[in-house]
Amino acid sequence: MENIPIEKRILLQWLKAGYVENGFTYPTRKGVPQGGIISPTLANMTLDKLEKAVRQSVPYRSRVNFVRYADDFIVTAKAKAILEKYVIPAVKQFLEERGLELSKEKTKITFIRDGFTFLGQTFRKHGNTLHITPAKEGVLALMRNIGTIIRKYVSVPIEALIKKLNPVLRGWANYHRHVVASRTFSRVDDYVHKMLWNMLHRRHPKKSKGWLYRKYWLTSGKRWIFGITIKSKGKVKQYKLVKISSIGIRRHRKVKADANPYMPEYGRYFWIRRHIKEAKLLPELSAVQMRTAAVRG
C-alpha cells in the first residue's frame, strides 16, 4: 500500500477481493494461490524501482547491470567489493521497507567464470565468450519427468503416450532454443529413445528389433521418428513424437530498451521483428511494407 504508485482505494479493494477458482470464491487472508499469475504480478509491483535503488547506491562511474524477472534478479559488477559494500546493503534496505528480505539459500556472490544459474539456465564465461546453457538440474528434472510418464503409460496406446510427451518436450525445448543447447537437445533425444526402446521390449519381449522399428518408427526423409500409424474408418492418421533436436537453435535478438509497442514511431520496428528473421533483410523492405508497418503499429 505504501510503495505501489496507483490509487490506494482501488489497490486496497483489489488486494482484499479474493480469488475465484472452479466457481468458488476464496478470501486472500493467507496470501495468493500457489502458481497463480497474481503472485509474479504482485512481485513486479512491489519490487518496482529496485533497479533505480541499486544504480543510485554505487559510486559514480561504477557500472552495474541489473536484470529482474518477478522476484528473481541478478546484479553484475566489475568487482566483488562493489556488490558487498554498496549493492547488497541497498537491496536489503529496499526490501526491508517493503517487509521483505533476501533468501539466504538463493543469494550468493560468484565469479562469472565459475558461473551461476538463473531461471533454469547456467551463465558462465569461457575466455571472452559468455555461454548460456540449460541448467543441469533442469535437464535432470526433465529426464525424470519423461521417465515417469513413460513408465506410467507403459500399457496404454502409443498415441496416448505421444500426446502426453509432446507438450512436455516441445515446451521445454522452445524455452531453451535461444541459448547454447544443441548438445543438450541431442542428449535428451537419446534418453527418450532409450526409455522408449526399453518400454517396447517389455511390451513385446518376443519381437525382433526389426519388427519393433517397422511398427513404431516412421520415416521422415532420411530420419526415423518414433510414431505410429492408425487406420480407422478408412482414414489414416499418424502420431509422431517430437524430436527436440529438430526444433533447432534460434538466437534471440534483444528488444531495444526504449522501444514501446504503444508508440506509433516504433510500429515499423516491431513489424520488422515479427516478420523479418534476419537483420540483413532489413534494407530490402519496400516502401509499401514500411507504410504498412507504420499503420499496423
Side-chain angles (χ1 to χ4, degrees):
M1 288 295 295
E2 295 175 1
N3 294 286
I4 297 176
I6 66 174
E7 187 178 343
K8 304 304 179 183
R9 181 178 61 86
I10 300 299
L11 177 60
L12 182 61
Q13 291 177 353
W14 180 62
L15 291 172
K16 289 186 174 182
Y19 66 96
V20 178
E21 184 176 7
N22 297 326
F24 294 94
T25 302
Y26 297 88
T28 51
R29 292 190 298 268
K30 296 183 179 180
V32 298
Q34 185 70 23
I37 60 172
I38 196 63
S39 179
T41 301
L42 288 171
N44 279 324
M45 296 170 72
T46 306
L47 298 181
D48 190 29
K49 297 185 179 179
L50 175 58
E51 178 177 1
K52 182 179 180 181
V54 169
R55 293 188 182 279
Q56 290 179 343
S57 69
V58 299
Y60 181 64
R61 294 185 181 275
S62 296
R63 190 181 69 185
V64 295
N65 298 299
F66 181 93
V67 179
R68 181 171 68 86
Y69 183 85
D71 58 348
D72 292 313
F73 59 90
I74 56 175
V75 184
T76 66
K78 286 185 174 294
K80 183 178 180 181
I82 295 176
L83 296 173
E84 292 178 330
K85 186 176 180 180
Y86 301 105
V87 173
I88 290 183
V91 171
K92 287 183 176 179
Q93 181 181 351
F94 181 92
L95 295 178
E96 186 177 349
E97 293 172 357
R98 289 154 177 79
L100 303 171
E101 62 182 11
L102 284 174
S103 169
K104 295 180 181 180
E105 295 77 15
K106 297 181 180 180
T107 303
K108 69 174 181 177
I109 299 178
T110 184
F111 189 44
I112 188 60
R113 301 195 190 282
D114 296 329
F116 62 91
T117 298
F118 182 64
L119 300 179
Q121 295 176 342
T122 298
F123 296 70
R124 182 178 289 111
K125 203 166 186 179
H126 299 85
N128 294 322
T129 304
L130 175 66
H131 288 153
I132 308 174
T133 58
K136 181 179 179 181
E137 297 80 5
V139 177
L140 294 177
L142 173 69
M143 290 182 172
R144 286 193 295 268
N145 187 24
I146 291 171
T148 300
I149 292 173
I150 292 176
R151 286 188 292 270
K152 183 178 179 180
Y153 282 71
V154 67
S155 59
V156 302
I158 292 297
E159 59 269 26
L161 173 61
I162 292 175
K163 288 180 179 179
K164 187 68 176 180
L165 286 174
N166 274 348
V168 175
L169 293 168
R170 188 179 290 110
W172 187 87
N174 283 332
Y175 180 79
H176 293 288
R177 69 178 302 191
H178 302 292
V179 301
V180 183
S182 295
R183 288 186 179 180
T184 306
F185 282 11
S186 296
R187 178 185 171 193
V188 172
D189 281 336
D190 291 342
Y191 176 79
V192 173
H193 182 276
K194 178 182 177 181
M195 293 297 295
L196 291 172
W197 188 254
N198 292 338
M199 181 266 293
L200 293 176
H201 268 293
R202 290 195 295 271
R203 279 195 178 201
H204 310 285
K206 297 183 179 180
K207 297 296 183 179
S208 66
K209 180 179 179 180
W211 186 91
L212 292 176
Y213 264 109
R214 288 192 298 271
K215 184 171 179 62
Y216 293 109
W217 268 267
L218 306 172
T219 56
S220 178
K222 296 182 179 180
R223 297 183 304 163
W224 288 83
I225 298 177
F226 182 81
I228 192 169
T229 302
I230 303 295
K231 297 180 181 179
S232 177
K233 299 180 180 179
K235 296 182 179 180
V236 178
K237 189 172 183 179
Q238 288 186 335
Y239 295 87
K240 297 180 180 180
L241 183 70
V242 63
K243 198 169 185 178
I244 62 175
S245 57
S246 66
I247 292 177
I249 303 301
R250 183 177 179 182
R251 293 287 176 253
H252 172 71
R253 287 192 295 125
K254 186 180 181 299
V255 180
K256 288 182 179 179
D258 297 329
N260 188 329
Y262 297 102
M263 297 174 66
E265 54 264 39
Y266 288 105
R268 171 176 173 266
Y269 172 76
F270 283 103
W271 185 90
I272 291 173
R273 283 192 65 89
R274 287 194 299 269
H275 295 86
I276 306 300
K277 294 182 179 180
E278 299 293 340
K280 63 183 180 181
L281 298 177
L282 298 185
E284 299 178 9
L285 289 176
S286 66
V288 174
Q289 288 175 314
M290 296 301 184
R291 289 196 294 271
T292 303
V295 171
R296 292 181 179 179

